[in-house]
Amino acid sequence: MFFRPAAFALLALTPLPLAAETGDAVAGAAQFIRCKACHAIVTDDGTVVQKGGKTGPNLYGMIGRPVAAMPDFRYSPGFKAAGSAGRVWDAANLAAYLADPTAWLRQASGDAGARTSMTVKMTEGSDDLVAYLATQVPAPMASQSPTAPNPVTN
Ligand code: HEC
């Protein structure tokens, strides 16, 4: 078990939509093709925004959601531990996760041996994808982005 208070403090000081502001959501939408084999985006009212596989959880509303919080998905133990530790997806840790899922999970869960079944790494373009995912959230957050489709109103 290890915690790095300095790193946590830095994250806390980082404004939430950092990557969302620097990334290009339209380019990110096209990049979702790299996620589709395992992830769909389906809004809370069942609207399918992106068709995709079910190996991974639905990625709708991910920014602002606690880690490992989709009720109908069986997460790995490390993911559950990161969720129990109170980790929440924001633009910064989503970008870090996409760059190296296993390394991020080990840090976030405090378990140096944690493994995740998501092994895809994104070495470039993750800012765009994060910006896109930031538009795929319920209306109050989505309305901050000019490209948001605003599919739901709750
Ligand atoms: C080969 C299948 C696969 C691909 C491709 C994939 N993922 Fe995943 N993803 C998973 C699995 C499985 C999990 C759950 C991991 C676990 O429980 O350890 C996951 C988890 C996640 C989570 C955390 C969800 C939560 O509820 O906490 C995010 C965010 C995520 N993936 C984003 C992406 C993005 C963005 C892409 C495209 C770049 C992508 N994934 C590509 C399989 C995949």
Side-chain angles (χ1 to χ4, degrees):
M1 297 285 277
F2 65 97
F3 284 95
R4 284 187 280 176
F8 275 70
L10 262 183
L11 277 180
L13 289 173
T14 306
L16 259 183
L18 188 63
E21 278 166 9
T22 54
D24 176 346
V26 175
Q31 284 180 352
F32 194 78
I33 200 160
R34 300 174 64 174
C35 322
K36 277 185 156 196
C38 304
H39 293 283
I41 297 181
V42 182
T43 67
D44 294 339
D45 68 1
T47 306
V48 178
V49 180
Q50 293 270 5
K51 281 189 195 164
K54 293 198 165 147
T55 308
N58 174 12
L59 292 184
Y60 181 70
M62 202 44 65
I63 302 259
R65 191 191 290 278
V67 171
M70 296 308 267
D72 52 353
F73 187 80
R74 292 184 58 163
Y75 292 93
S76 63
F79 250 83
K80 287 186 199 157
S84 306
R87 301 305 297 263
V88 173
W89 288 117
D90 61 21
N93 64 32
L94 192 50
Y97 170 68
L98 291 175
D100 191 339
T102 302
W104 181 87
L105 182 63
R106 289 178 175 179
Q107 191 266 332
S109 65
D111 177 357
R115 288 172 186 278
T116 169
S117 32
M118 177 163 153
T119 51
V120 185
K121 286 187 186 179
M122 261 192 105
T123 47
E124 55 188 47
S126 72
D127 278 5
D128 295 341
L129 197 42
V130 170
Y132 170 62
L133 289 176
T135 68
Q136 299 306 312
V137 296
M141 281 182 79
S143 63
Q144 292 170 5
S145 162
T147 53
N150 266 355
V152 282
T153 50
N154 62 349

